[in-house]
Amino acid sequence: MFKKVIFLLVLGLIAMGVVVAAENATAFNVPTGFEDLGDGVYVLYDTFKKPDQILSIVSYTEHDEDDYLANDTENNYTVYPCDNNTFNFVDGSMNEKGTFEIIEVNGTKFIVDFVKEGIDNEKDFNDTFKSLMEFNKLNNVTGIVVEITNSTAG
């Protein structure tokens, strides 16, 4: 009996931690038109009901720094610094491009990432940058200063 009580208490603490983490990710206001898919992921559909942009809001970890801020020639990923502590990226292996930033809210860091499929015009980040700036305005946040890591080979 005692083991069952301890097990339920531990399970309850874990469940509360998951709820708090999910609550942090969903406490943000998102630009008009983005539909909530859950777990901090939102999608904006075009007029043909095809995904136009994907927004993801994830808790930041040091591991993410390598995924987001390191140019990776082996995987055809290039990141460019942009205005307002934001970054544009082109991911050739995934055929997508976008704009992201790292923000800090109440001592917790998040990566806010707007992605658009297709890299036909690798220099056109107007849509994703505009969406990110709208997100910042809605939530009264700005990107924090971070540095791009030197090119890697994987």
Side-chain angles (χ1 to χ4, degrees):
M1 177 70 175
F2 182 69
K3 288 181 182 179
K4 286 182 182 180
V5 170
I6 295 297
F7 175 76
L8 289 174
L9 285 173
V10 170
L11 187 61
L13 288 174
I14 291 170
M16 286 182 353
V18 169
V19 169
V20 169
E23 183 178 297
N24 286 340
T26 59
F28 294 105
N29 297 311
V30 299
T32 302
F34 281 84
E35 294 182 21
D36 188 354
L37 298 180
D39 294 329
V41 178
Y42 304 81
V43 64
L44 174 67
Y45 294 101
D46 65 15
T47 55
F48 302 105
K49 299 292 183 196
K50 186 176 169 191
D52 181 48
Q53 288 186 58
I54 305 291
L55 160 62
S56 61
I57 306 167
V58 296
S59 294
Y60 172 83
T61 66
E62 286 185 24
H63 173 70
D64 296 319
E65 192 169 298
D66 290 338
D67 290 341
Y68 284 86
L69 293 167
N71 288 307
D72 187 342
T73 54
E74 186 175 292
N75 290 305
N76 203 16
Y77 178 85
T78 308
V79 60
Y80 311 93
C82 193
D83 298 333
N84 304 324
N85 297 323
T86 65
F87 299 89
N88 292 328
F89 69 90
V90 175
D91 189 338
S93 64
M94 298 291 290
N95 190 36
E96 60 188 24
K97 63 183 176 185
T99 307
F100 73 91
E101 69 185 351
I102 299 171
I103 62 172
E104 188 168 353
V105 177
N106 298 326
T108 302
K109 293 180 182 176
F110 297 92
I111 297 172
V112 180
D113 182 20
F114 286 86
V115 178
K116 194 169 180 80
E117 186 179 356
I119 57 172
D120 52 327
N121 185 348
E122 291 187 13
K123 302 293 185 211
D124 181 12
F125 297 97
N126 290 328
D127 292 343
T128 55
F129 183 77
K130 181 180 171 186
S131 294
L132 183 59
M133 292 299 98
E134 186 176 346
F135 175 89
N136 286 356
K137 185 177 178 181
L138 289 169
N139 294 285
N140 195 30
V141 296
T142 58
I144 62 174
V145 177
V146 291
E147 298 293 325
I148 295 174
T149 308
N150 291 331
S151 295
T152 63

